[in-house]
Amino acid sequence: MFMEIPEMTYNLIGRSFLNDKMKRSYKRVIEERRMRFIRESE
């Protein structure tokens, strides 16, 4: 389930009214936090 969250979030971001720069920024933040969570849980 946890690994599906970024994909679902990316879909929502893609459909949002944000400009492309903000979409990239949001995706980068999600990926950074996901990787941090994975490292800390190991």
Side-chain angles (χ1 to χ4, degrees):
M1 176 66 179
F2 176 74
M3 299 309 285
E4 295 173 8
I5 293 172
E7 189 62 36
M8 294 183 324
T9 307
Y10 293 156
N11 289 336
L12 288 172
I13 292 169
R15 293 183 296 190
S16 74
F17 293 106
L18 296 169
N19 62 40
D20 289 341
K21 182 178 178 182
M22 289 303 298
K23 287 179 182 182
R24 286 190 303 270
S25 295
Y26 270 94
K27 289 178 182 180
R28 185 172 49 249
V29 167
I30 291 165
E31 188 60 25
E32 288 171 358
R33 291 181 182 178
R34 185 177 73 88
M35 295 306 294
R36 189 179 319 148
F37 180 79
I38 290 170
R39 281 194 305 266
E40 290 177 4
S41 65
E42 292 179 349

